[in-house]
Amino acid sequence: MPGMQDNATEVTAAGIARLAGVGRAAVSNWRRRHTDFPGPVGGTETSPSFALAEVEGWLRRHGRLAGIPLRERVWQRLAGHPGGPVTALTHAGCALLLIHDRSPVWLEVSSGSDERLAAMLPAALEQVLAPRFGDVNGSRVNTTGTVHSPALPAAPATRKALEPPTAP
């Protein structure tokens, strides 16, 4: 689903430096010397943030994006998610469950436009999440595909497995 959140994901100068494999001073130099360097979209004056998609485009056009480790690009997407990395991982986990458990449903849901995906995804995710987690925590998937829950959506057995062992 390229383009769905590209403009919402932001990255700091330190993140840009990691993406390009350079120090932060190089990023400062690029900002001063290149009029086409993307402008800040958020953050503060002393610590601005930039649209990740625009920065990646700039780095690519200037031959500085090649060779970026996949883990760094994934981390930037997770860290820059508007809801934070936990929300991003929750969304990714839900999608992976859908792909694993109901691949024919995923193929149907994912074919077509982003609007179609957004309309069909909540019901498809519910098919995967409800049997695992039920509605004991008040979990639900809204029309944007975001999982809402007062607590992490985990079945009691899962919660028990996550608790630290008690002394005998």
Side-chain angles (χ1 to χ4, degrees):
M1 297 174 293
M4 276 186 75
Q5 288 189 355
D6 287 350
N7 293 329
T9 304
E10 296 178 12
V11 63
T12 63
I16 295 169
R18 283 193 305 274
L19 279 173
V22 298
R24 288 184 61 185
V27 176
S28 294
N29 286 335
W30 295 340
R31 289 184 64 203
R32 279 195 317 273
R33 295 178 183 166
H34 296 274
T35 57
D36 65 334
F37 192 86
V41 296
T44 65
E45 195 170 314
T46 56
S47 182
S49 60
F50 305 85
L52 179 58
E54 291 178 20
V55 168
E56 285 180 334
W58 188 91
L59 291 171
R60 194 173 289 110
R61 285 189 307 276
H62 289 266
R64 300 188 182 274
L65 190 59
I68 303 303
L70 178 60
R71 70 179 177 274
E72 181 60 36
R73 297 190 75 208
V74 169
W75 172 248
Q76 290 299 332
R77 294 285 179 178
L78 291 174
H81 188 281
V86 172
T87 300
L89 287 171
T90 301
H91 291 173
C94 289
L96 289 172
L97 281 173
L98 180 59
I99 292 166
H100 181 268
D101 284 6
R102 305 191 193 269
S103 56
V105 173
W106 169 251
L107 290 173
E108 181 183 345
V109 168
S110 64
S111 64
S113 68
D114 287 349
E115 292 77 20
R116 182 172 184 265
L117 174 64
M120 294 179 70
L121 192 56
L125 287 175
E126 191 65 33
Q127 291 177 10
V128 173
L129 297 177
R132 275 193 169 73
F133 307 120
D135 197 30
V136 293
N137 292 324
S139 297
R140 68 188 191 291
V141 179
N142 74 14
T143 57
T144 63
T146 306
V147 176
H148 291 279
S149 175
L152 287 176
T158 305
R159 256 190 249 109
K160 182 76 174 154
L162 295 175
E163 292 173 2
T166 55

